[in-house]
Amino acid sequence: IYASTAPELSDDRRYDFFSRVVPPDSFQAQAMVDIVKAMGWNYVSTVASEGSYGEKGVEAFMQLSREAGGICIAQSLKIPHDHKQADFDKIIQMLLDTRPARAVIMFAYDEDIREILNASKRADQVGHFVWIGSDSWGAKNSPIHGIEDAAVGAITILPKRATIAGFDAYFTSRTLENNRRNVWFAEFWEENFNCKLMSSSKKEDTSRKCTGQERIGTDSKYEQEGKVQFVIDAVYAMAHALHNMQKDLCPEHSGMCPEMEVAGGKKLLKYIRNVNFNGSAGTSVTFNHNGDAPGRYDLFQYQMNNNSSPGYKVIGQWTETLQLNIEDMQWPNGEVDIPSSVCSQPCKTGQRKKMVKGMPCCWHCESCDGYQYQYDETTCKLCAYNMRPNPNRTGCQPIPIVKLEWHSPWAVIPVFLAMLGIIATIFVMATFIRYNDTPIVRASGRELSYVLLTGIFLCYIITFVMIAKPDVAVCSFRRIFLGLGMCISYAALLTKTNRIYRIFEEGKKSVTPPRLISPTSQLAITSSLISVQLLGVFIWFGVDPPNTIIDYDEQKTIDPEKARGVLKCDITDLQIICSLGYSILLMVTCTVYAIKTRGVPENFNEAKPIGFTMYTTCIVWLAFIPIFFGTAQSAEKLYIQTTTLTISMNLSASVALGMLYMPKVYVIIFHPELNVQKRKRSFKAVVTAATMSSRLSHKPSDRPNGEAKTELCENVDPNSEYNSSFNTATPPPILRAV
């Protein structure tokens, strides 16, 4: 009928109603794609029998998997027509080359399926592969007969179908005598009963002649073909289409009419696509816009366990969407979980995927290291400068802020030394105030002594300022007092040594006292030297106001867990050195004068004790500089530099306090009988005696030991403003430098 209504279409373009009523390969392929995704697989192989069925099925699966995304084809293998056993063994070995791809999609004929399963047994790989078979496998026993163990866990697809009541009785009653219309029936008869009907028969594998008395289902096995319902539905689809066409074109006629004869195949195709009726199985028969019937599949799994007999068990269905009962599924080798068929295992938290080129399902896992965190599956990003990755590297967290704590060992030692120094300084100052009018205190130059003690006290106090928690006030005090204590100390010492030097240098030339040696003048000189330091600090305040910062670079270790932000004042190492630089200049200058006055007799001045003080102080600060700058790159920089600086200042203050004041305090407290006034002498006599004593010190044999000194140490006027540097009391050996 169709050929007569569509003569303009060639044979290969004519509409194949049967193939359209049976769901096409694309639906099978879509069902397989949905199964693969439901199992969590993303890396599968395909095996196809050479020919239209196998190749088109695999092609449809690959196309749909690309469109769905997330599925990669490990290998796509083909079974040749003229295959040998070695071909199947080779296929298994090739599948094993990509062992992670355990799931294998199969569009193959029965015999090819059987040979593939046999090859897996020969390779001792039973249970390794999970087979997903198309409708050519379905629920058939023939592909797995005798090798059921190799098929355990296989998932197969079969179009939903029903056994058509009455067809079995009709077909088994067919004989050579009552067949009138099936032109292929004689060929079927020979194949079914393995006999020849006539000598011209094409069947060559037997010589037995057919008797004609054979009966279908009695003399041969019979099972209703699963596609019978689709053949019936295809015929009904044609009938409904012709009926609808006849109603539209010539409703007043019955049967064919001239309008239908000239309508053409394209018009008939339109009517066929628009049919809608209940088919032989009771389900609706319709066609989509592509002319395909809806896909309806039953899903089976071959199972073998002790609780039930081996066989295919329905595990779900596919009707445009997948309905799968995963809890009813069983897997080979007693596996409880779904077998894995993925190219790469999921990366751990904090790792990124480094994709394999051309294979979006395959990757290598790389840890986000250093200060990186996992931004997404494929990217690691650096945390902000003040952040570090959290423990699982899924994000960033603030870097902890630290400062030098009071209980830290780095702080305990300087604080202990500073407290001892403060106590000692207060004790010395209290002693001097208590015995302010005694000869030793007056001879020491009371005004500069108190200034020097103030500087020493500030040197100890700066320890507490350096360790205190930084804020704007603390940072301001650090800038002021960091160099001020040393500046006051060395300004006073420089003034003293300069005064001694000028007195004795002037005494060599004349008996006239040098200028600016009175206490008032000495205080003025000292104040002017100190004012330079204060001026520099005030300029510093104006140019760069004090502030606190958090330094994240100082303790940014390789291990982010150990990274810390350091809360500190906005003072650089260079600024610290510049702040101390002026004090160091005063110290060096004072040392130079101490060297120049080293030959002055010790009973007349403090030059030698000051000299010893300066030499020791220089050694302390020479040790400080390399330690301070040598630890600039250390993770413990904050602690080492602060401790080094404070200890250096404590030692400097302690050296001055111990060498210049402790001997005097010792005499004042323990030997008050020595703290008495001697006879007065004029300035001229004092200078003359000092000069002669200096010369005699180079000729000890010219006079009896101590004779010159005994004669020269008389009549010194302790009330004279010129004599504050001279000894007015006879000291014991421990006080020879007073």
Side-chain angles (χ1 to χ4, degrees):
I1 298 173
Y2 176 67
S4 65
T5 58
E8 73 278 9
L9 297 179
S10 60
D11 289 341
D12 59 345
R13 294 282 308 280
R14 289 178 181 170
Y15 197 84
D16 186 345
F17 300 106
F18 170 69
S19 66
R20 291 296 183 176
V21 175
V22 177
D25 292 337
S26 60
F27 287 150
Q28 283 196 78
Q30 184 61 60
M32 289 179 168
V33 168
D34 290 347
I35 291 171
V36 168
K37 294 183 80 69
M39 294 293 102
W41 298 331
N42 65 7
Y43 196 49
V44 299
S45 296
T46 64
V47 175
S49 294
E50 189 174 21
S52 176
Y53 173 76
E55 293 179 25
K56 286 187 176 180
V58 166
E59 182 181 347
F61 175 83
M62 294 175 68
Q63 176 64 30
L64 290 170
S65 65
R66 282 193 294 268
E67 293 174 359
I71 299 177
C72 297
I73 307 301
Q75 296 194 68
S76 186
L77 307 177
K78 190 183 297 184
I79 303 171
H81 276 306
D82 52 343
H83 50 70
K84 301 175 184 178
Q85 180 176 302
D87 294 325
F88 295 100
D89 292 336
K90 182 179 180 181
I91 288 174
I92 294 297
Q93 291 303 318
M94 293 178 70
L95 291 174
L96 290 173
D97 288 342
T98 51
R99 290 189 70 89
R102 295 181 62 184
V104 180
I105 308 299
M106 295 186 68
F107 280 89
Y109 302 122
D110 296 9
E111 187 59 30
D112 292 343
I113 295 170
R114 184 176 182 82
E115 290 298 330
I116 286 288
L117 296 178
N118 267 319
S120 70
K121 289 195 70 172
R122 288 194 296 272
D124 195 24
Q125 296 298 321
V126 171
H128 175 73
F129 297 107
V130 179
W131 313 102
I132 303 176
S134 63
D135 60 354
S136 62
W137 185 338
K140 295 177 183 176
N141 288 317
S142 56
I144 64 171
H145 181 67
I147 51 174
E148 288 83 358
D149 57 335
V152 173
I155 301 171
T156 60
I157 293 177
L158 191 64
K160 276 185 174 292
R161 59 187 182 181
T163 300
I164 304 302
F167 181 80
D168 292 344
Y170 165 78
F171 194 74
T172 54
S173 68
R174 295 299 89 195
T175 64
L176 293 172
E177 290 78 17
N178 61 21
N179 176 61
R180 295 289 181 270
R181 58 184 181 180
N182 195 328
V183 296
W184 298 286
F185 193 76
E187 183 179 346
F188 164 77
W189 194 272
E190 290 181 329
E191 192 67 32
N192 190 49
F193 296 107
N194 195 26
C195 61
K196 287 185 176 182
L197 287 174
M198 57 191 72
S199 58
S200 60
S201 172
K202 295 180 180 179
K203 189 170 180 61
E204 300 177 353
D205 57 349
T206 184
S207 58
R208 189 172 71 87
K209 291 186 177 294
C210 300
T211 64
Q213 300 303 312
E214 295 89 356
R215 290 295 178 264
I216 300 172
T218 302
D219 299 318
S220 66
K221 290 183 179 180
Y222 169 75
E223 182 182 358
Q224 187 178 127
E225 167 60 47
K227 295 182 175 63
V228 167
Q229 82 172 85
F230 302 116
V231 176
I232 296 172
D233 290 343
V235 174
Y236 272 102
M238 173 64 80
H240 279 282
L242 290 172
H243 178 71
N244 294 335
M245 178 185 282
Q246 192 268 342
K247 284 174 61 178
D248 289 343
L249 298 181
C250 44
E252 68 281 357
H253 291 84
S254 60
M256 293 287 292
C257 63
E259 289 85 352
M260 293 177 66
E261 293 179 358
V262 299
K266 290 185 178 180
K267 195 163 191 176
L268 177 60
L269 177 60
K270 179 181 177 182
Y271 279 96
I272 291 173
R273 287 187 173 181
N274 289 329
V275 299
N276 189 343
F277 64 95
N278 287 331
S280 57
T283 57
S284 176
V285 177
T286 58
F287 299 96
N288 61 21
H289 64 282
N290 291 324
D292 295 320
R296 298 186 183 93
Y297 294 95
D298 284 323
L299 307 180
F300 297 88
Q301 185 182 44
Y302 189 80
Q303 298 180 356
M304 182 185 295
N305 55 49
N306 298 328
N307 299 328
S308 60
S309 58
Y312 293 97
K313 181 178 179 180
V314 177
I315 57 171
Q317 61 180 355
W318 189 91
T319 52
E320 305 296 336
T321 58
L322 179 66
Q323 300 174 36
L324 190 62
N325 302 318
I326 296 179
E327 63 276 5
D328 294 336
M329 301 178 74
Q330 296 178 7
W331 305 106
N333 299 329
E335 291 186 57
V336 177
D337 298 325
I338 298 173
S340 173
S341 185
V342 295
C343 181
S344 301
Q345 294 297 326
C347 292
K348 297 178 182 178
T349 303
Q351 294 181 332
R352 77 176 185 93
K353 295 178 180 178
K354 184 179 181 181
M355 307 306 296
V356 176
K357 188 175 182 180
M359 195 67 69
C361 304
C362 301
W363 57 80
H364 303 296
C365 294
E366 288 187 348
S367 297
C368 297
D369 55 5
Y371 287 81
Q372 295 180 329
Y373 71 99
Q374 183 184 0
Y375 178 72
D376 55 32
E377 285 191 344
T378 59
T379 309
C380 292
K381 282 192 173 182
L382 277 174
C383 292
Y385 76 98
N386 61 338
M387 308 284 278
R388 67 178 182 182
N390 56 25
N392 58 10
R393 291 185 179 270
T394 56
C396 296
Q397 62 186 13
I399 294 176
I401 308 302
V402 298
K403 65 179 185 63
L404 185 56
E405 302 290 346
W406 292 103
H407 56 76
S408 168
W410 296 100
V412 169
I413 296 175
V415 168
F416 178 73
L417 294 177
M419 292 179 67
L420 291 180
I422 290 172
I423 293 172
T425 305
I426 293 174
F427 176 74
V428 170
M429 192 173 291
T431 301
F432 266 54
I433 293 173
R434 170 69 179 79
Y435 299 97
N436 187 59
D437 291 325
T438 62
I440 287 181
V441 174
R442 297 176 65 184
S444 298
R446 287 175 294 186
E447 296 77 6
L448 288 184
S449 290
Y450 291 131
V451 171
L452 179 55
L453 286 170
T454 302
I456 292 173
F457 181 80
L458 292 179
C459 287
Y460 288 122
I461 287 294
I462 192 62
T463 297
F464 300 93
V465 178
M466 295 299 294
I467 296 175
K469 181 180 179 180
D471 56 31
V472 174
V474 170
C475 293
S476 299
F477 284 127
R478 283 188 187 180
R479 291 191 181 189
I480 294 171
F481 294 113
L482 181 61
L484 185 60
M486 289 179 59
C487 177
I488 292 174
S489 300
Y490 298 127
L493 288 175
L494 176 60
T495 303
K496 276 194 173 190
T497 54
N498 174 263
R499 176 172 179 264
I500 295 169
Y501 174 76
R502 289 189 294 113
I503 286 173
F504 284 94
E505 284 297 311
E506 184 68 24
K508 295 177 183 179
K509 302 175 183 178
S510 68
V511 295
T512 305
R515 300 175 57 195
L516 303 176
I517 62 173
S518 66
T520 304
S521 301
Q522 298 295 289
L523 286 175
I525 294 172
T526 303
S527 299
S528 63
L529 292 174
I530 295 172
S531 65
V532 174
Q533 173 76 17
L534 292 174
L535 178 62
V537 171
F538 291 142
I539 293 174
W540 187 7
F541 269 80
V543 174
D544 183 17
N547 196 12
T548 59
I549 61 170
I550 299 175
D551 189 347
Y552 292 98
D553 295 326
E554 185 172 313
Q555 293 194 27
K556 205 156 197 177
T557 56
I558 296 176
D559 182 4
E561 287 298 313
K562 298 180 181 178
R564 298 292 183 270
V566 180
L567 175 63
K568 62 182 185 180
C569 293
D570 189 12
I571 303 176
T572 64
D573 294 348
L574 181 60
Q575 288 172 334
I576 290 176
I577 295 301
C578 289
S579 179
L580 297 174
Y582 179 65
S583 300
I584 294 174
L585 176 63
L586 294 178
M587 179 182 69
V588 172
T589 307
C590 185
T591 304
V592 171
Y593 275 110
I595 293 172
K596 288 185 176 183
T597 59
R598 69 187 184 279
V600 175
E602 54 186 292
N603 279 5
F604 291 90
N605 61 88
E606 295 178 301
K608 281 189 169 62
I610 292 174
F612 293 145
T613 300
M614 300 318 302
Y615 305 151
T616 307
T617 304
C618 287
I619 293 173
V620 169
W621 286 98
L622 285 174
F624 160 78
I625 292 175
I627 295 175
F628 187 85
F629 287 101
T631 58
Q633 304 302 320
S634 172
E636 305 289 338
K637 173 185 174 182
L638 169 70
Y639 311 123
I640 297 175
Q641 290 190 343
T642 302
T643 302
T644 303
L645 178 60
T646 53
I647 288 180
S648 296
M649 298 190 75
N650 287 339
L651 291 178
S652 300
S654 298
V655 167
L657 188 65
M659 290 191 174
L660 297 179
Y661 290 100
M662 286 307 173
K664 299 175 183 179
V665 172
Y666 175 80
V667 171
I668 292 172
I669 295 176
F670 296 105
H671 294 280
E673 71 278 2
L674 299 179
N675 189 10
V676 294
Q677 181 177 335
K678 292 243 179 165
R679 291 177 296 173
K680 299 180 181 180
R681 266 208 290 185
S682 66
F683 175 78
K684 178 179 178 181
V686 170
V687 173
T688 303
T691 304
M692 292 178 64
S693 177
S694 176
R695 293 172 182 172
L696 291 171
S697 64
H698 300 290
K699 299 179 180 181
S701 60
D702 290 349
R703 283 197 164 197
N705 186 28
E707 182 179 339
K709 295 183 181 179
T710 303
E711 295 177 358
L712 294 173
C713 291
E714 297 177 353
N715 300 324
V716 178
D717 183 6
N719 297 319
S720 171
E721 64 178 5
Y722 308 129
N723 296 334
S724 62
S725 295
F726 304 138
N727 189 9
T728 58
T730 304
I734 194 172
L735 195 61
R736 299 189 68 192
V738 176

